[in-house]
Amino acid sequence: MITITRESPLHPDLATLHARHHAAMHADTPPESIHMMPPEALAAPDIAFFVMREGSAVIGMGAYKRFAPDHGEIKSMHVLAETRGRGLARQMLDHLIAQARADGITRLSLETGTQPSFEAARILYLRAGFQDCPPFGSYREDPNSVYLTRAI
């Protein structure tokens, strides 16, 4: 059974998931273009962090950060490679959207990579109704980034 619950990103059983996410983000992205947040930063009060489990096994994570009263940003979405192809990333994204909406957020935006390794993520977000937008928040134009947004 798949569950998604709000948890602390600092829980010890998330170390492997964080390490795999870190490795994936650094695989083909220049360091200056990586916008991933470390677990300590994901523990901030303006971030809602969620863990996906299959039984007791950690298989994914996702978060959103509120940076304006009605605007949030999807952060650190990751599903373990060996569990992909089952719709789990879409399940996590739908959960984040529903939780953000319940928290009074009416717009979600995100930054993701332009490299081929991010193609599946870009397709996921576009199929979920996200559309291209200019850089938001503290982001700046970057050839390694694409910015997406949608009303929720």
Side-chain angles (χ1 to χ4, degrees):
M1 180 169 86
I2 303 295
T3 59
I4 301 174
T5 55
R6 189 168 181 169
E7 299 185 27
S8 168
L10 303 176
H11 198 280
D13 72 346
L14 302 178
T16 298
L17 181 64
H18 286 301
R20 299 264 303 270
H21 180 60
H22 184 271
M25 297 302 100
H26 286 80
D28 61 358
T29 304
E32 67 274 10
S33 296
I34 296 172
H35 303 288
M36 173 193 89
M37 297 176 76
E40 298 76 21
L42 290 168
D46 59 347
I47 295 178
F49 181 85
F50 298 88
V51 176
M52 177 180 277
R53 296 175 186 272
E54 187 164 26
S56 62
V58 173
I59 59 171
M61 65 181 175
Y64 62 87
K65 176 181 180 176
R66 182 188 299 266
F67 66 88
D70 61 347
H71 196 176
E73 177 186 4
I74 300 286
K75 296 298 293 181
S76 296
M77 253 197 54
H78 188 86
V79 174
L80 293 177
E82 61 270 23
T83 66
R84 293 180 187 159
R86 298 168 43 197
L88 298 174
R90 180 59 190 251
Q91 189 175 341
M92 176 60 82
L93 180 59
D94 290 345
H95 184 83
L96 294 174
I97 291 168
Q99 290 297 307
R101 186 182 296 124
D103 282 347
I105 293 173
T106 59
R107 174 162 300 281
L108 277 175
S109 300
L110 62 94
E111 177 277 338
T112 193
T114 59
Q115 299 84 349
S117 61
F118 291 92
E119 182 178 8
R122 291 190 306 270
I123 290 169
L124 168 72
Y125 296 130
L126 293 171
R127 285 184 178 161
F130 286 82
Q131 299 177 335
D132 288 325
C133 69
F136 58 90
S138 62
Y139 291 109
R140 301 292 170 252
E141 287 292 338
D142 182 339
N144 297 297
S145 292
V146 62
Y147 308 96
L148 303 170
T149 193
R150 76 164 269 195
I152 59 170

